[in-house]
Amino acid sequence: MADSSSTYQAGGSGDQPKKSIFPGYGRFKIALSTILTIKVILELAVTFGYPNALIDEIQGAGDSAILMVMVMEGRGQIHPTDISPLLSALEDTGHLGVATDVRTWSLEYLDLNTGERLMTNESLKLSGFGRFKIAVSKVLRKQTSLDLGSLFGYPKALIDEIRNAKDSALLMIMHMEERGQIHPTDISPLLTALRELGLQGVATDVEDRFKEHLRITGKMEAFIRELKETGRTLYDKIQPIPYIKDKLYSVDKVFIEVGIEHRVEQDNWKTLSSYYGIFSVAKGSSRIQIIEGDPGYGKSTLALQLVYDWCNEVSDSPFSRPDILICLNLRQLGGMESIAKAIKQFALPRDSSLKRHDVEQLINNRNINILVIFDAYDEYPDQHSVDNFVKEILEEKSLRHVDILLTTRSSCIPHAISSQTGRIRLTGFDEAAREKYVRKAVTGDDEEAVQKILEQFNMNPILGDICQAPLFSAMYAHLAHEENMPHEIRSVTEFFGHMITCFHNHAQNKLSESGKSIEHLQTHANIHAALDKIAFEALTGKMQQLVWDQTLFLRELGEDFYKLYVDVGILVEDEVYDIALGKVAQLKKVVRFYHKLFCEWYAAYHLIKCVKSFRSWFYNFTKNIDPYDLQFVLRFACGLDQAGGSKVVKLVRKKKDGARFAVLCALELKEGSHDIPTTVRGIVSSGINICRADSRLLQRSTIQLLELASQHKIPISQVSLVNSFSSVDPDSLPLVLHSGLCLPPLSTLQELEIWTELGRELTVDEWTGILNYTKRCQLLKKLWLIYCLLPWMDSFPASLDNVQVVWAPPTGIHYYLQSGRWQNERSGEILTRGAYDDLVTKFRERYSNYPWQLQRRAERE
């Protein structure tokens, strides 16, 4: 048999078996399979997010370890040049000893330090080959494996090892791969050996499976190539200013990281240093992550940056690692019955050779890593429908093996998500990010121009807060660089109105320079009722439709008006490949607004018209809406018309949780309006919250409104600082928020609640500062300290005798300050120093792993 083997290995025709690209990789996998216990395997499978069916299959396998190694290889968690996903998972699950052994073997068998990445097609061959190997292992019987081992001339000790293995076929396959007898592109040595053993039926079965592997791999390579081709057309045409159409940017030339946080638990968010960490914070939980943020906060730009990272295989980006990345804009997918059709229509080139059933087969391949980005869920026409493919995916009823990123406004979180779904929040630009953008995308190395733009931002704190939204910041920076922009802006309505005026002025200047009349341009810029109505109906209809057939717009608006708004950049034309069911695909033109905010701007004009003309209509309208779904429509409406705006504020305030939103609307009313004091009185008569999650603009607007109430001697019933309190300024005594803004003493404030982060301990200085703050609030009747641990104090200021002070640590028991001592609300007993020390010990034990306590220990170490 040995002589036969050596003749065979020469292949009869003189060909040698194809060598492995990574000769030590097979030995590494065999070594790895020897130390993976069933406990380690199951914990790794859960950490990697394997479907339950796959975990059950691994657990029930003859040799779970070998199958687990093959599955990890197929899913890209081990790879000839990268085993970091496995090492991270072992460390996360506490198997440090196993991780050390794996790391040692990697140094012995693999070459992980070359810095070279496999080309995508080679990576795919490896991952698809894993599926083929698992399929073949179910065909090879133990005796067949032993006969092949003898035919290949394996040492007797190795044949005995295969004989005694729990799953002989899986182990045989790993050894054949190590010796080059099977390879992602060639299995002829195995086929020849099977036929030599007289196993024609097995050989035919294996050959058919291998041909299917090659066919799928070829289609997968085409799929990836075409996805990247389409992806480049998406990220290569960023237009910071709508009317500048001859200067388009690649997303990497304008992208600046915004503030980003991930939710640790309900109302507890932790800062991420980079978008690179989006999926690393969700290990072991849902494969779905939601990226939320206010309008203009860079959600879609971030999505395009992820596409860029993948298409260009950016070496340090985790988003270059998926085998497949698909980005779909949900505003285009109204009425779309399947994700395969959506991908075929919007994510592949028009001349793609792939059919819809090919796409379906490829995305259902569980052995490759797939990431799907659903962008702009808040613009998805079918978000309220009972049955759609996006809802099925979010409910994890389909494509459970696929990673999902969904972007949406914070006010439009899908109801279908589970409690395990990851939540990421974009918090906008700070001053440093704004400066980086100006330097990178606007001025380059022109230091004088940089300082000129930054000075305009800094001259007006309200403008700076408005420009926390990257969209506004970018537009203002570009416009300020091109022409003079006013910096005395007091509201978002003023800001947006100036931008729209700049767009139209640019078009009029171009036309007047050519000697043509601009009268019709001025008319269309100021009279746009038809566009207003279309925008309003689109946003308030049952199905939010934000993409229209071009012919509809031409018919409704007229050709001159339509052409102007396209030239100005407020409207944008797109070409889409329409695949009507059972019909030949056709190219058609559609039109949309440059950004949803522009649609909301024009819808606000129509809303004001209806408010002033049909009061009862508006009352019924507000009864049936969530103000946050239309927040910019309502805010713009308040800024566009004082009388109508006052009515909007009054009705919005009556909605559930409407007070905070009414603040934003009220601050859009122009200064000097006689309705402002009345409006303010109505808002502050109920509780006002200032939350850490609120934008700086909302926080500043709330503080302005509270100061206005105090100046007009209007009683403020209650202010709650929800996780937003940072410290107390010892000099001027305002309460300092985490945002850096300050809440000054309010003479008419009646009740103050300070809700801190769970696990937080206030210092003596902070507690004393709060008590001194209360002295400056002459009408204060009650002070609440909630969730925090207060320091022990032997005495309290006498001025607190007229203020009821309540301490509510997270123990379920409230303590009232009575004659300088804390009294238990239930028992009436005075809190002794010993009981307080016990409370401190239990508090620190319970919240030892919460961010504040972790930071406290780190600072002490």
Side-chain angles (χ1 to χ4, degrees):
M1 186 65 76
D3 291 342
S4 171
S5 171
S6 65
T7 302
Y8 164 71
Q9 286 184 348
S13 62
D15 293 333
Q16 292 291 335
K18 195 160 187 175
K19 291 184 179 179
S20 172
I21 308 169
F22 304 98
Y25 184 48
R27 292 192 293 278
F28 168 77
K29 289 188 290 182
I30 292 170
L32 178 60
S33 70
T34 64
I35 63 163
L36 293 182
T37 65
I38 191 66
K39 180 177 185 296
V40 173
I41 289 167
L42 294 178
E43 289 182 10
L44 285 174
V46 171
T47 299
F48 288 138
Y50 290 179
N52 290 335
L54 180 55
I55 294 175
D56 292 342
E57 182 182 351
I58 293 169
Q59 190 171 11
D63 195 320
S64 298
I66 293 179
L67 181 56
M68 182 64 181
V69 169
M70 288 187 172
V71 171
M72 287 193 293
E73 180 185 30
R75 288 173 170 262
Q77 285 134 2
I78 59 171
H79 185 281
T81 62
D82 182 16
I83 59 167
S84 58
L86 171 60
L87 291 173
S88 296
L90 287 169
E91 289 165 0
D92 288 347
T93 52
H95 298 294
L96 303 183
V98 179
T100 299
D101 288 344
V102 171
R103 192 175 280 106
T104 301
W105 288 335
S106 73
L107 295 173
E108 182 178 351
Y109 296 130
L110 305 179
D111 185 9
L112 303 180
N113 299 315
T114 61
E116 296 177 358
R117 290 175 54 82
L118 278 181
M119 294 300 291
T120 301
N121 61 344
E122 194 61 58
S123 176
L124 279 170
K125 288 172 187 172
L126 285 170
S127 61
F129 194 49
R131 186 176 188 178
F132 164 75
K133 288 184 291 183
I134 292 171
V136 171
S137 73
K138 296 174 181 177
V139 174
L140 298 183
R141 296 180 178 179
K142 176 180 282 191
Q143 190 57 50
T144 304
S145 298
L146 297 174
D147 290 345
L148 285 171
S150 298
L151 185 60
F152 288 141
Y154 287 4
K156 184 177 183 302
L158 180 55
I159 293 176
D160 288 343
E161 182 186 347
I162 294 170
R163 178 182 288 108
N164 296 324
K166 291 180 181 177
D167 195 319
S168 300
L170 280 173
L171 184 57
M172 181 64 192
I173 284 168
M174 292 180 79
H175 282 293
M176 286 193 291
E177 182 182 20
E178 182 195 355
R179 287 163 169 73
Q181 286 137 358
I182 60 173
H183 182 276
T185 59
D186 181 21
I187 60 166
S188 56
L190 171 60
L191 295 176
T192 302
L194 287 169
R195 291 181 177 120
E196 192 169 326
L197 290 170
L199 301 171
Q200 300 294 338
V202 177
T204 299
D205 191 355
V206 171
E207 186 173 23
D208 288 344
R209 291 172 188 269
F210 187 68
K211 286 178 180 177
E212 178 67 7
H213 151 67
L214 291 178
R215 186 184 70 80
I216 292 174
T217 300
K219 287 190 175 181
M220 190 67 74
E221 290 172 352
F223 191 37
I224 288 173
R225 185 174 60 252
E226 293 180 359
L227 285 170
K228 289 188 174 183
E229 182 183 328
T230 304
R232 290 185 183 100
T233 66
L234 295 176
Y235 71 68
D236 255 348
K237 55 179 186 181
I238 302 295
Q239 212 176 331
I241 299 296
Y243 61 72
I244 303 179
K245 302 178 188 297
D246 57 347
K247 191 174 182 181
L248 302 179
Y249 295 79
S250 174
V251 69
D252 65 305
K253 302 302 180 188
V254 298
F255 178 76
I256 297 292
E257 290 239 32
V258 299
I260 185 168
E261 300 174 335
H262 74 97
R263 191 171 73 171
V264 181
E265 57 183 13
Q266 192 74 28
D267 297 326
N268 189 2
W269 297 75
K270 187 175 180 181
T271 300
L272 282 178
S273 59
S274 168
Y275 71 90
Y276 283 6
I278 285 175
F279 270 108
S280 66
V281 298
K283 286 180 180 175
S285 57
S286 174
R287 301 181 75 87
I288 300 172
Q289 290 276 62
I290 291 179
I291 299 179
E292 61 185 89
D294 286 343
Y297 268 53
K299 301 178 292 294
S300 294
T301 304
L302 175 57
L304 291 178
Q305 181 64 36
L306 305 188
V307 174
Y308 175 89
D309 288 359
W310 181 70
C311 289
N312 294 279
E313 297 183 29
V314 176
S315 59
D316 58 343
S317 172
F319 293 96
S320 64
R321 293 175 192 161
D323 296 309
I324 291 173
L325 186 148
I326 300 162
C327 185
L328 295 169
N329 194 305
L330 289 176
R331 71 164 171 256
Q332 298 175 315
L333 305 188
M336 194 70 64
E337 65 267 21
S338 74
I339 189 171
K341 181 178 178 182
I343 293 168
K344 171 66 177 170
Q345 184 161 337
F346 293 104
L348 297 179
R350 294 167 192 154
D351 58 354
S352 172
S353 60
L354 296 170
K355 307 299 182 188
R356 196 190 309 177
H357 65 83
D358 295 326
V359 173
E360 221 163 77
Q361 184 181 35
L362 292 169
I363 63 175
N364 280 294
N365 185 339
R366 293 177 175 270
N367 293 296
I368 57 175
N369 296 315
I370 303 174
L371 170 61
V372 175
I373 301 173
F374 288 132
D375 187 28
Y377 180 80
D378 55 286
E379 300 181 33
Y380 181 39
D382 295 340
Q383 61 183 265
H384 299 300
S385 70
V386 176
D387 186 23
N388 62 74
F389 76 87
V390 174
K391 184 171 182 283
E392 279 191 2
I393 292 171
L394 295 180
E395 291 177 344
E396 301 191 57
K397 293 178 179 176
S398 63
L399 294 186
R400 294 180 61 188
H401 61 291
V402 173
D403 288 325
I404 304 292
L405 273 182
L406 179 140
T407 74
T408 186
R409 291 186 177 185
S410 299
S411 60
C412 190
I413 304 298
H415 298 298
I417 62 172
S418 75
S419 59
Q420 297 298 311
T421 300
R423 297 277 291 274
I424 302 292
R425 182 169 67 195
L426 304 186
T427 58
F429 273 180
D430 58 15
E431 290 183 13
R434 198 156 56 220
E435 181 175 344
K436 283 181 185 176
Y437 182 86
V438 170
R439 293 183 184 278
K440 181 176 182 178
V442 183
T443 63
D445 297 329
D446 188 342
E447 189 62 29
E448 185 179 344
V450 172
Q451 295 307 320
K452 178 185 173 185
I453 295 171
L454 294 180
E455 282 173 13
Q456 292 196 59
F457 281 124
N458 296 332
M459 287 170 70
N460 181 354
I462 295 176
L463 175 61
D465 291 347
I466 290 171
C467 290
Q468 184 180 352
L471 174 71
F472 292 162
S473 185
M475 283 190 172
Y476 187 89
H478 284 279
L479 288 171
H481 188 51
E482 298 289 334
E483 52 190 280
N484 290 324
M485 278 288 286
H487 60 265
E488 293 182 0
I489 290 173
R490 299 295 170 193
S491 68
V492 176
T493 307
E494 276 188 42
F495 181 91
F496 217 81
H498 281 300
M499 282 201 307
I500 297 287
T501 300
C502 285
F503 297 169
H504 283 293
N505 286 346
H506 178 81
Q508 292 171 19
N509 291 340
K510 280 181 65 177
L511 197 63
S512 62
E513 286 170 6
S514 64
K516 297 180 181 177
S517 170
I518 63 170
E519 186 176 344
H520 68 292
L521 298 188
Q522 293 171 334
T523 300
H524 292 328
N526 296 320
I527 301 175
H528 35 71
L531 182 63
D532 303 343
K533 185 178 180 184
I534 290 174
F536 183 80
E537 290 177 348
L539 292 169
T540 59
K542 280 189 177 180
M543 288 181 59
Q544 189 178 104
Q545 183 65 47
L546 299 178
V547 179
W548 297 267
D549 192 294
Q550 184 200 47
T551 55
L552 168 69
F553 260 53
L554 282 169
R555 183 175 69 248
E556 295 293 326
L557 304 179
E559 189 170 346
D560 286 347
F561 185 101
Y562 174 81
K563 185 177 183 305
L564 169 65
Y565 276 70
V566 169
D567 289 343
V568 167
I570 292 171
L571 297 178
V572 177
E573 293 179 329
D574 287 327
E575 289 185 333
V576 297
Y577 196 45
D578 187 23
I579 307 176
L581 192 63
K583 296 182 180 179
V584 178
Q586 293 182 337
L587 193 66
K588 73 173 185 178
K589 272 194 175 181
V590 294
V591 61
R592 59 179 173 82
F593 283 92
Y594 170 79
H595 190 280
K596 188 178 178 181
L597 282 166
F598 286 82
C599 184
E600 290 167 319
W601 172 259
Y602 288 98
Y605 279 95
H606 187 76
L607 176 62
I608 282 296
K609 177 182 176 182
C610 293
V611 169
K612 295 171 75 173
S613 304
F614 313 104
R615 180 177 175 81
S616 60
W617 170 91
F618 181 63
Y619 175 75
N620 291 325
F621 171 73
T622 54
K623 277 174 59 178
N624 299 316
I625 65 162
D626 180 346
Y628 279 95
D629 287 345
L630 297 172
Q631 68 155 304
F632 274 93
V633 177
L634 298 169
R635 288 168 67 180
F636 286 148
C638 291
L640 290 171
D641 186 275
Q642 297 302 297
S646 296
K647 295 176 184 177
V648 169
V649 175
K650 185 177 180 180
L651 287 173
V652 164
R653 181 170 53 81
K654 295 177 180 178
K655 299 285 289 184
K656 182 182 178 182
D657 300 325
R660 290 171 65 240
F661 182 64
V663 170
L664 286 172
C665 290
L667 267 294
E668 294 297 319
L669 297 172
K670 291 181 181 177
E671 289 186 11
S673 169
H674 68 278
D675 289 328
I676 286 183
T678 304
T679 302
V680 170
R681 185 182 299 276
I683 294 173
V684 301
S685 62
S686 55
I688 295 290
N689 293 345
I690 302 179
C691 303
R692 184 170 186 171
D694 295 341
S695 68
R696 278 177 60 92
L697 180 61
L698 176 53
Q699 288 187 358
R700 188 185 295 278
S701 300
T702 305
I703 292 169
Q704 284 179 322
L705 186 133
L706 292 171
E707 288 184 287
L708 197 61
S710 189
Q711 291 164 11
H712 285 80
K713 307 299 181 186
I714 299 171
I716 302 168
S717 66
Q718 182 190 74
V719 171
S720 298
L721 304 183
V722 182
N723 292 344
S724 56
F725 170 75
S726 174
S727 60
V728 183
D729 188 317
D731 298 322
S732 53
L733 288 183
L735 301 182
V736 182
L737 308 183
H738 283 296
S739 63
L741 298 176
C742 295
L743 178 67
L746 303 168
S747 61
T748 60
L749 176 61
Q750 297 176 334
E751 184 171 334
L752 174 64
E753 291 182 349
I754 298 179
W755 298 67
T756 69
E757 306 90 328
L758 282 169
R760 178 168 178 179
E761 300 181 26
L762 293 188
T763 65
V764 172
D765 287 343
E766 288 170 340
W767 183 208
T768 303
I770 292 170
L771 295 176
N772 289 332
Y773 175 87
T774 63
K775 295 180 191 177
R776 304 277 296 277
C777 302
Q778 292 92 335
L779 298 186
L780 191 70
K781 298 175 182 176
K782 196 169 188 177
L783 170 65
W784 286 80
L785 285 305
I786 303 171
Y787 286 165
C788 59
L789 181 65
L790 293 178
W792 180 265
M793 291 180 67
D794 292 318
S795 62
F796 291 87
S799 59
L800 288 176
D801 291 345
N802 297 322
V803 179
Q804 185 180 28
V805 182
V806 186
W807 175 29
T811 58
I813 298 176
H814 294 174
Y815 297 91
Y816 291 86
L817 194 62
Q818 298 288 347
S819 304
R821 291 289 180 265
W822 290 113
Q823 186 178 45
N824 186 312
E825 67 157 349
R826 295 181 184 173
S827 65
E829 294 177 354
I830 298 298
L831 183 68
T832 65
R833 182 59 191 259
Y836 170 81
D837 290 341
D838 289 342
L839 189 154
V840 170
T841 300
K842 292 176 182 177
F843 181 92
R844 289 176 177 169
E845 287 176 354
R846 180 176 180 181
Y847 298 106
S848 60
N849 291 321
Y850 279 64
W852 198 95
Q853 289 289 333
L854 291 172
Q855 183 180 349
R856 169 180 165 272
R857 290 202 299 273
E859 288 172 352
R860 291 188 174 185
E861 292 170 1

